[in-house]
Every structure is written in C-alpha cells, then in structure tokens.
Amino acid sequence: MKATGVVRRIDDLGRIVIPKEIRRNLRIRDGESLEIFVDSNNIILKKFSIMRNVDEYAANLVDSLHSFTKKSVIITDTDSVIACSSDIKHLFNKSISESLGNCIKRRESILEKYNKDLVITDDFIVSCKYVINAVVASGDSVGLVIIFDSDDISDDDMKMALIASKILAKSIEE
C-alpha cells in the first residue's frame, strides 16, 4: 500500500474527506460511488463499476467477437479496460484514456473507416480503423465496446459493436 502522508479526522457523522489531489489522480468525480472493503485492520475504498458485475460475461463476449471478426476487441467501464481480446491482453485492467472517457460521457457511436490514432490508454496508441459504441444501461453511460483493425472496419463491425453494447446493457439491467 502506498502512503500519502495525508491524515484526516472522521466527523461526528462518520464521514471523511478524500483530498482533491487524490480524487483527481484516481479520477474520482463528484457523485460517483465507492465500494468499501475491509481487510484485517484496513479499510479499502474502490471505485464502484456496475460493469464489474458482468466482467466474466464481457470476457466471453470479447472472445466470441474476436474469434468471429479476427479483429481486436475491448470492453471498458468508465475507468478501465475490463475485457480485451487475446492479442492485446496487456491492456486488461489499465486505465482508459481521457478521450475514451469523453466518448462514454457523450454516449458516442463512432465508425472510423480510415486509419486514425486511437488512444486507448495513456501509453497505448494505435493507428487503425475502428468502431466505438457506448454501453448505456438504465439511462447511464457505463462503458464502451471497441472493435479495431489496421486493415478494415465495416458497417457490420458497427452493428456487432452495437449489438454487444445492447447485450451488455441488458445483462446489467437484469
């Protein structure tokens, strides 16, 4: 565990303030939910992601899409890659880029048929053709489905990303 040197008092209602610098570094925004875990004498706060409830399902969906399309596939929640095809496994659990975060906020569907830089994480940028589709469950944008390839992206790939996002949204809502 990394020490921050910050000490805070708990108020009479049991609340503690997480310093702005820590919230900014961990991308914790106002109104977001945190999960609380207890490990022996430690209290662990973790950003809550409704997509984490379907991560195994998302992994199976990614594997199916990848085996069918032979293209790279990623599923994200609002902060990180929660499932990715075998050719890019090193991206699993990495924080997504700010540009992908903005795609989630704007609930975007993008079909890029010409090679363009796709910034997936801060240290992984790929020049490719791609499709991005937001996962919207219960009215909230909760993640993305991304299919990309250096050779070809088609309208069928867009349809598959749309179907995958609808399937994920449906499984979250149930």
Side-chain angles (χ1 to χ4, degrees):
M1 216 176 324
K2 187 175 172 183
T4 63
V6 176
V7 176
R8 296 289 171 138
R9 286 192 185 274
I10 296 176
D11 71 10
D12 57 344
L13 295 177
R15 297 176 299 198
I16 188 168
V17 174
I18 301 170
K20 188 174 189 173
E21 178 73 17
I22 292 173
R23 292 192 320 262
R24 187 174 49 241
N25 286 341
L26 297 176
R27 296 181 179 178
I28 299 170
R29 294 176 286 282
D30 293 345
E32 281 191 319
S33 297
L34 298 175
E35 284 185 277
I36 302 169
F37 299 91
V38 177
D39 181 26
S40 65
N41 290 335
N42 298 311
I43 298 171
I44 301 166
L45 301 176
K46 186 175 180 183
K47 286 178 74 169
F48 175 73
S49 168
I50 197 159
M51 291 285 282
R52 295 287 175 185
N53 296 334
V54 295
D55 57 353
E56 187 176 319
Y57 189 72
N60 290 333
L61 190 55
V62 163
D63 290 343
S64 297
L65 286 170
H66 179 65
S67 67
F68 181 73
T69 66
K70 305 297 185 229
K71 296 173 182 167
S72 300
V73 182
I74 294 173
I75 296 177
T76 77
D77 62 10
T78 55
D79 295 304
S80 60
V81 174
I82 65 163
C84 52
S85 51
S86 57
D87 58 326
I88 49 172
K89 278 292 186 202
H90 65 282
L91 296 178
F92 181 70
N93 257 348
K94 292 227 176 161
S95 294
I96 61 171
S97 67
E98 186 177 336
S99 60
L100 288 183
N102 290 333
C103 287
I104 295 169
K105 287 178 196 167
R106 292 189 299 259
R107 301 169 183 229
E108 289 186 326
S109 292
I110 301 170
L111 174 59
E112 184 58 59
K113 291 187 175 185
Y114 301 99
N115 274 354
K116 189 174 179 183
D117 283 351
L118 175 61
V119 182
I120 297 171
T121 67
D122 290 338
D123 60 351
F124 188 78
I125 302 168
V126 61
S127 182
C128 61
K129 299 167 180 103
Y130 58 86
V131 70
I132 297 174
N133 203 82
V135 178
V136 180
S138 302
D140 295 324
S141 189
V142 295
L144 297 172
V145 175
I146 305 167
I147 301 173
F148 65 95
D149 189 57
S150 58
D151 294 330
D152 185 42
I153 285 292
S154 68
D155 292 331
D156 288 340
D157 296 316
M158 183 67 171
K159 290 175 187 171
M160 282 189 273
L162 176 63
I163 291 167
S165 67
K166 298 282 186 194
I167 290 170
L168 286 167
K170 189 78 168 165
S171 64
I172 290 168
E173 291 169 350
E174 291 179 346

